[in-house]
């Protein structure tokens, strides 16, 4: 007789798992990008994300899950080990997602509102470096960093918040989509981005140097103010350049001023400085009897173009345009003279708006100069650049609002304009160097992406100003040597020959045939 057996059907206990795609990782992703992609793949809201990733021992988990509002600049509330396990990343990558904690005074240096590059966001990439106040342009594409929605102008809190994560990579106010590639079912892989190998170490080095030397700089400036010499104002550090350049420049300026209190010894080679001094400003005198301004006889007034278009601009913009026009004429007559025919033929042939368009390559010098003018004049049609200026130069206006030097309050308007003009001229030549490098790279790749805002800042020179705008303490401008030798070295690589000119004309004809057909 067989022994009866009783079989108990027990359900399988499967470990709870979550969806994740390793091909959605770019490298150097922010915690906002990581949590947004995790929420999209698993259809989670902010409370559910908090339930998974907020630490149990933080003492606030219940309140956070009920009403999430967690600052994404800091990792104190997050379970980093849990994040590394579910996102299949190393703990080091998770720590890099909270970049403010790796930099000195990170909370002070990072914005509390979401900042992003539109071109990076389309592929689902967001870097924690975009939140840094020091960074104003994308390190990959060169686009200006956005701080508000382009559609409605609303700002987005950089927090784990219900409204922000209801639809990740969208504006909570108007629901504008920042990352269409994430929601496209045909998109199998997100576009890869070029690696940024040393940007974290360079940022950390710059921030550490500024924090270490800030007390000494403040003490020196206080002593100079008491002595009637005026403070020294330095340009902001440029993270796209080598981290050793900024300390070396500041050390050179202090040594040129003979400040013994400055004891920092940078490791980099000290740059060659150019020093320019402005004479005292000629102030208008008010005549009490006639109640009108009487100018001193030594004053020489700048003559500004009196066209109807330029009369509508403000005084600073008109003065800045005179400087830009002088730089443009100098480049045209002395630096680009061998390639004038290439530039002129390209300008006349390309008579439609090229902003955002991709074409075949033409003469790199013509490409660089046209894109340089598009950048500063805010005009996306090359043929319009050959005609008189008909609209406000938006690129120049943008530079004056974002990059013009901020001078001490005791200076006159003339001194401020003098400093702004000198810095503007140097920046204009530096941007042409960047566009020239981009054009040479495009020649190797065979295509041109006509984006006037895509320009690197790694050639921008550092500057420093001091003085009180008086006879005893005149305004002084310290700057690195000009970038004209660099520009000439790039142009020398492209000798003007009959073959070069013929290739340029054939390329223009091909571009025009493609556009017309």
């Amino acid at each position: 007789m067989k022994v009866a057996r009783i079989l108990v059907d027990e359900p399988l206990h499967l470990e709870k798992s979550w969806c994740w795609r390793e091909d959605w990782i770019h490298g150097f992703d922010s915690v906002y990008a990581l949590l947004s992609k995790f929420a999209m793949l698993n259809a989670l809201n902010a409370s559910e994300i908090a339930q998974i990733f907020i630490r149990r021992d933080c003492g606030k988990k219940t309140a956070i899950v009920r009403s999430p509002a967690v600052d994404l600049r800091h990792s104190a509330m997050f379970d980093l080990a849990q994040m590394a396990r579910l996102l299949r990343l190393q703990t080091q990558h998770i720590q890099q997602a909270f970049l403010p904690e790796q930099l000195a005074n990170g909370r002070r240096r990072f914005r509390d509102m979401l900042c992003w590059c539109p071109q990076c966001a389309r592929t689902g990439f967001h870097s924690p470096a975009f939140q840094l106040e020091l960074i104003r342009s994308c390190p990959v594409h060169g686009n200006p960093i956005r701080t508000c929605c382009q559609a409605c102008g609303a700002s987005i809190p950089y927090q784990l918040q219900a409204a922000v994560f209801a639809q990740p990579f969208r504006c909570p106010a108007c629901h504008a989509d920042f990352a269409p590639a994430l929601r496209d079912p045909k998109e199998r892989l997100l576009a890869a981005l070029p690696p940024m190998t040393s940007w974290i170490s360079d940022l950390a080095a710059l921030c550490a140097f500024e924090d270490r030397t800030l007390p000494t700089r403040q003490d020196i400036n206080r002593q100079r103010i008491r002595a009637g010499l005026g403070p020294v104002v330095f340009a902001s550090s440029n993270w796209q350049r080598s981290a050793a350049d900024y300390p070396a420049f500041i050390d050179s300026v202090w040594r040129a001023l003979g400040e013994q209190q400055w004891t920092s010894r940078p490791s980099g080679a000290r740059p060659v400085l150019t020093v320019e001094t402005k004479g005292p400003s000629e102030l208008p005198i008010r005549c009490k009897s006639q109640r009108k301004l009487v100018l001193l006889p030594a004053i020489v007034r700048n003559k500004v173009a009196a066209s109807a278009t330029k009369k509508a601009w403000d005084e600073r913009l008109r003065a800045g345009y005179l400087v830009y026009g002088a730089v443009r004429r100098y480049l045209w007559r002395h630096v680009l003279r061998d390639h004038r025919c290439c530039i002129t033929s390209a300008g006349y042939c390309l008579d439609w708006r090229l902003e955002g368009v991709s074409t075949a390559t033409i003469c790199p010098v013509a490409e660089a100069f046209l894109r340089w003018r598009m950048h500063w004049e805010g005009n996306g049609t090359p043929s319009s650049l050959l005609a008189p200026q008909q609209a406000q130069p938006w690129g120049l206006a943008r530079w004056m609002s974002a990059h013009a030097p901020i001078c001490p309050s005791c200076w006159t308007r003339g001194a401020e304009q003098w400093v702004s003009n000198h810095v503007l001229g140097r920046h204009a030549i530096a941007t042409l160097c960047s566009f020239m490098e981009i054009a040479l790279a495009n020649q190797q790749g065979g295509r041109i992406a006509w984006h006037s805002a895509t320009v690197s800042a790694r050639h921008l020179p550092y500057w420093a100003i001091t003085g009180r705008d008086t006879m005893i303490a005149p305004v002084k401008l310290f700057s690195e040597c000009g970038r004209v030798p660099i520009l000439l070295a790039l142009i020398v690589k492209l000798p003007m020959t009959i073959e070069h000119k013929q290739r340029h004309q054939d390329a223009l004809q091909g571009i025009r045939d493609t556009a017309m057909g």
Side-chain angles (χ1 to χ4, degrees):
M1 181 178 179
K2 294 183 178 180
V3 179
R5 291 185 299 173
I6 300 176
L7 300 177
V8 179
D9 188 11
E10 295 182 355
L12 295 176
H13 295 282
L14 300 177
E15 182 181 359
K16 190 174 184 180
S17 60
W18 303 96
C19 296
W20 185 243
R21 291 185 59 171
E22 296 182 1
D23 55 1
W24 277 16
I25 298 297
H26 292 87
F28 301 109
D29 296 82
S30 68
V31 64
Y32 169 81
L34 294 175
L35 295 182
S36 295
K37 296 172 187 178
F38 187 84
M40 291 179 61
L41 289 172
N42 296 279
L44 302 176
N45 56 31
S47 296
E48 293 167 333
I49 295 175
Q51 182 67 43
I52 298 171
F53 293 116
I54 296 297
R55 292 171 47 190
R56 295 182 179 180
D57 57 350
C58 68
K60 301 179 180 179
K61 184 168 184 176
T62 302
I64 292 175
V65 171
R66 187 185 307 115
S67 180
V70 183
D71 193 340
L72 296 179
R73 294 176 293 178
H74 304 283
S75 62
M77 295 293 178
F78 290 92
D79 188 344
L80 301 186
Q82 174 80 337
M83 294 182 68
R85 186 175 64 86
L86 295 184
L87 301 179
R88 304 170 196 170
L89 295 172
Q90 298 179 0
T91 306
Q92 178 184 1
H93 292 163
I94 301 298
Q95 292 173 347
Q96 289 177 352
F98 296 95
L99 183 61
E101 296 184 345
Q102 303 184 33
L103 304 180
N105 292 331
R107 188 180 185 90
R108 174 176 59 85
R109 297 176 183 276
F110 278 72
R111 307 181 183 96
D112 58 355
M113 309 306 291
L114 182 66
C115 306
W116 69 96
C117 165
Q119 201 166 346
C120 287
R122 293 192 193 103
T123 64
F125 176 71
H126 178 266
S127 170
F130 295 163
Q131 301 299 128
L132 188 62
E133 293 180 351
L134 182 65
I135 295 180
R136 299 179 179 179
S137 60
C138 174
V140 179
H141 305 106
N143 299 323
I145 297 297
R146 294 205 62 85
T147 57
C148 61
C149 176
Q150 188 174 6
C152 67
S155 57
I156 305 172
Y158 193 61
Q159 294 182 355
L160 176 59
Q161 199 178 95
V164 176
F165 281 82
Q167 292 179 309
F169 281 102
R170 284 183 183 270
C171 175
C174 67
H175 308 293
D177 193 356
F178 302 150
L182 291 177
R183 282 169 267 271
D184 188 358
K186 299 179 182 179
E187 192 76 31
R188 299 302 300 262
L189 297 174
L190 295 181
L193 297 174
M196 297 172 287
T197 55
S198 62
W199 62 274
I200 287 184
S201 59
D202 287 347
L203 281 176
L206 285 174
C207 293
F209 171 78
E210 289 185 344
D211 287 342
R212 185 177 66 254
T213 59
L214 181 61
T216 304
R217 292 164 60 179
Q218 289 179 339
D219 290 342
I220 295 176
N221 277 335
R222 279 193 290 266
Q223 294 177 10
R224 291 180 61 85
I225 292 173
R226 286 195 295 268
L229 299 176
V232 181
V233 180
F234 289 93
S236 301
S237 56
N238 185 351
W239 68 277
Q240 296 189 40
R241 295 182 53 175
S242 172
D245 291 348
Y246 192 60
F249 173 76
I250 291 183
D251 178 71
S252 299
V253 173
W254 288 128
R255 289 179 178 275
L257 292 171
E259 295 293 344
Q260 302 295 329
Q261 189 175 347
W262 181 261
T263 58
S264 178
R265 295 293 183 270
S267 58
R270 284 188 291 174
V272 178
L273 294 182
T274 59
V275 184
E276 297 178 77
T277 304
K278 178 187 178 298
S281 298
E282 300 86 353
L283 298 176
I285 299 176
R286 181 172 294 278
C287 180
K288 295 183 179 180
S289 59
Q290 299 180 3
R291 294 186 177 274
K292 64 180 181 179
L293 294 178
V294 179
L295 297 176
L296 293 175
I299 293 181
V300 178
R301 306 297 291 177
N302 291 331
K303 294 183 179 179
V304 182
S307 65
T309 301
K310 297 173 184 175
K311 281 184 178 179
W313 304 349
D314 60 52
E315 182 181 354
R316 290 187 60 200
L317 186 59
R318 290 200 305 270
Y321 189 80
L322 288 177
V323 176
Y324 164 72
V327 172
R328 191 178 67 193
R329 287 191 298 273
Y330 169 78
L331 294 172
W332 181 258
R333 294 172 182 174
H334 303 285
V335 180
L336 308 173
R337 59 180 181 270
D338 293 340
H339 292 267
R340 289 182 191 175
C341 59
C342 295
I343 298 171
T344 306
S345 59
Y348 281 120
C349 182
L350 305 175
D351 57 354
W352 65 94
R353 182 171 176 80
L354 288 179
E355 186 69 33
V357 178
S358 177
T359 66
T361 56
I362 58 176
C363 169
V365 179
E367 175 199 340
F369 188 67
L370 291 176
R371 291 183 65 181
W372 178 76
R373 292 195 59 181
M374 291 166 62
H375 170 79
W376 284 101
E377 299 177 27
N379 192 335
T381 305
S383 61
S384 301
L385 302 174
L386 304 179
Q389 185 76 20
Q390 297 295 330
Q392 179 169 311
W394 294 108
L396 180 59
R398 181 171 59 247
W399 182 90
M400 299 188 72
S401 63
H403 302 288
I406 300 177
C407 301
S409 57
C410 61
W411 286 14
T412 62
R413 183 178 300 179
E416 293 182 1
Q417 190 65 56
W418 181 84
V419 172
S420 178
N421 290 346
H422 281 74
V423 175
L424 172 61
R426 288 166 170 79
H427 280 209
I429 295 177
T431 52
L432 183 57
C433 291
S434 300
F435 277 119
M436 193 66 212
E437 289 183 341
I438 295 173
L440 292 173
N442 290 340
Q443 188 183 38
Q444 300 295 327
R447 301 292 295 179
I448 302 174
W450 293 84
H451 295 291
S452 59
T454 306
V455 57
S456 172
R458 71 185 194 90
H459 286 297
L460 295 183
Y462 289 126
W463 52 264
I465 51 177
T466 186
R468 295 183 61 85
D469 196 17
T470 62
M471 291 288 292
I472 300 176
V475 174
K476 286 187 177 181
L477 171 65
F478 298 85
S479 178
E480 294 176 301
C481 61
R483 297 300 191 260
V484 174
I486 299 176
L487 183 60
L488 291 173
L490 294 173
I491 295 177
V492 166
K493 300 178 181 179
L494 299 164
M496 188 61 181
T497 61
I498 298 177
E499 293 78 8
H500 172 87
K501 186 176 180 179
Q502 187 61 46
R503 286 196 303 269
H504 173 71
Q505 295 294 339
D506 293 343
L508 287 176
Q509 187 61 43
I511 294 173
R512 191 166 186 84
D513 292 343
T514 303
M516 298 298 292

